[in-house]
């Protein structure tokens, strides 16, 4: 009989011959059912919770989460949520910031400036750097941030064999 079967077409050929009106009717029915079901939903928006509280029943008090704070005794991993939060908030409010402003902001929220590193704001030929990397060494680990044309990225990582957090050229933090 061959690959096409006795009627000159296998299942794939028969599916291709399904009238387009059947497909249109099926899609229309599905869309209509979705609209009917959507009409059954109350127009009021669904309740939402804020990050600092959770819904409570009448018998239990609301529970609040602790605000993010720097833990000087903690590791970089412990402090990553705080680091990421202060970096993202600062750069959202001051998107044109260069290395010194980022370092000064990190110092203003409690990080030790003496443990920080930052890459230059300009390239070797005097052009504005596409990205600035900055770091804070904290208890044998590192918080590293990058800001520029790639957006904002933060990670917690190990100290390098050199005893630093950043690879490559960094600038003196002498301001």
């Amino acid at each position: 009989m061959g690959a096409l079967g006795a009627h000159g077409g296998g299942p794939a050929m028969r599916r291709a011959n399904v009238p387009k009106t059947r497909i249109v009717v099926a899609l229309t029915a599905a869309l209509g059912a979705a609209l009917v079901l959507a009409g059954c939903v109350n127009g009021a928006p669904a309740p939402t919770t804020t990050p600092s509280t959770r819904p409570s029943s009448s018998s239990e008090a609301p529970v609040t989460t602790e605000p993010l704070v720097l833990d000087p005794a903690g590791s970089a991993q412990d402090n990553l949520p705080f680091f990421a939060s202060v970096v993202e908030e600062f750069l959202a409010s001051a998107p044109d910031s260069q290395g010194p402003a980022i370092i000064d902001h990190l110092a203003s929220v409690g990080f030790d400036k003496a443990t920080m590193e930052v890459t230059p704001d300009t390239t070797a030929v005097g052009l504005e750097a596409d990205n600035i990397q900055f770091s804070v060494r904290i208890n044998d680990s590192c918080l590293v941030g990058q800001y520029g044309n790639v957006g904002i990225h933060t990670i917690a990582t190990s100290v390098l064999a050199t005893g630093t957090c950043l690879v490559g050229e960094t600038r003196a933090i002498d301001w």
Side-chain angles (χ1 to χ4, degrees):
M1 270 200 274
L4 297 177
H7 300 296
M13 288 295 279
R14 284 192 291 270
R15 271 187 256 125
N17 292 330
V18 172
K20 289 183 181 178
T21 54
R22 276 189 181 173
I23 294 171
V24 171
V25 169
L27 289 174
T28 304
L31 180 60
L35 290 173
V36 168
L37 290 175
C40 295
V41 176
N42 184 354
T48 59
T49 59
T50 63
S52 61
T53 62
R54 67 176 171 92
S56 62
S57 68
S58 59
S59 65
E60 76 180 280
V63 176
T64 59
T65 57
E66 295 295 320
L68 296 173
V69 294
L70 175 62
D71 178 6
S75 68
Q77 189 64 45
D78 296 334
N79 285 290
L80 181 59
F82 176 70
F83 179 74
S85 173
V86 298
V87 165
E88 290 170 8
E89 182 180 304
F90 175 69
L91 292 172
S93 69
D96 293 329
S97 294
Q98 298 292 314
I102 296 168
I103 295 300
D104 287 346
H105 181 70
L106 290 171
S108 77
V109 297
F111 289 105
D112 181 3
K113 195 182 260 191
T115 65
M116 295 185 207
E117 298 172 67
V118 64
T119 58
D121 297 329
T122 57
T123 66
V125 294
L127 300 174
E128 185 176 320
D130 290 333
N131 293 284
I132 299 169
Q133 290 82 36
F134 47 93
S135 68
V136 179
R137 184 172 173 167
I138 186 164
N139 301 322
D140 299 323
S141 55
C142 298
L143 291 165
V144 178
Q146 180 171 317
Y147 174 64
N149 66 2
V150 297
I152 303 169
H153 297 280
T154 56
I155 62 167
T157 189
S158 301
V159 175
L160 299 171
T162 59
T164 62
C165 295
L166 297 180
V167 174
E169 180 185 351
T170 60
R171 66 185 288 181
I173 299 176
D174 54 5
W175 59 91

